[in-house]
Amino acid sequence: MSFPLGKLLQLSVVKSQDPDGEDRVVMSRVGGVQFLPDHGTVTVQQGEVWDLEDMDLFLPFAEAHGEVEVALHAVNDGTSFSLGTVFLRADEAGQGEFQKQFEGAGALYKLKYKVLP
């Protein structure tokens, strides 16, 4: 039996956490492994749109759970600030693209994704 996969498509930086318009961020599964980037941080600019589709970022759903919780954090001088979490749901499989927002610490990011059956 196969399980759905969440495929991340795009990350838009609507408003950065840092007033200078630049954040160093990491994305991970809640309670799991960091996957963007696979180590360290990535620097993003307010107004920037990151195309994630070619990065082949797939998030498997556990058999017992129908969702995956994804967290986005800003990292400043070794301190991590939560920019929020979003849930990708297995029942969204095959229904096209979805967009959810990370909101926290004064920042706003939008994540576009789809769930593959």
Side-chain angles (χ1 to χ4, degrees):
M1 178 179 198
S2 67
F3 299 99
L5 288 172
K7 179 162 177 42
L8 304 186
L9 304 174
Q10 191 177 77
L11 182 66
S12 301
V13 187
V14 178
K15 184 173 186 285
S16 65
Q17 181 267 333
D18 199 306
D20 71 1
E22 180 177 279
D23 287 339
R24 291 180 314 172
V25 299
V26 298
M27 192 181 299
S28 64
R29 288 176 69 118
V30 170
V33 176
Q34 174 181 321
F35 56 83
L36 181 67
D38 57 2
H39 65 281
T41 61
V42 64
T43 301
V44 296
Q45 301 285 328
Q46 186 166 296
E48 191 171 20
V49 177
W50 276 64
D51 183 4
L52 305 176
E53 194 160 7
D54 292 338
M55 296 176 77
D56 290 332
L57 296 174
F58 294 97
L59 301 176
F61 291 82
E63 181 178 353
H65 303 297
E67 60 191 19
V68 174
E69 187 176 9
V70 178
L72 185 67
H73 287 87
V75 180
N76 296 324
D77 298 322
T79 303
S80 178
F81 298 90
S82 174
L83 301 180
T85 63
V86 297
F87 289 90
L88 284 62
R89 297 190 343 252
D91 64 3
E92 295 170 331
Q95 296 184 28
E97 295 179 357
F98 292 88
Q99 183 171 282
K100 296 203 176 153
Q101 296 184 160
F102 293 103
E103 292 184 85
L108 174 60
Y109 285 70
K110 292 183 181 181
L111 177 69
K112 187 187 298 185
Y113 68 94
K114 61 184 171 184
V115 179
L116 307 173

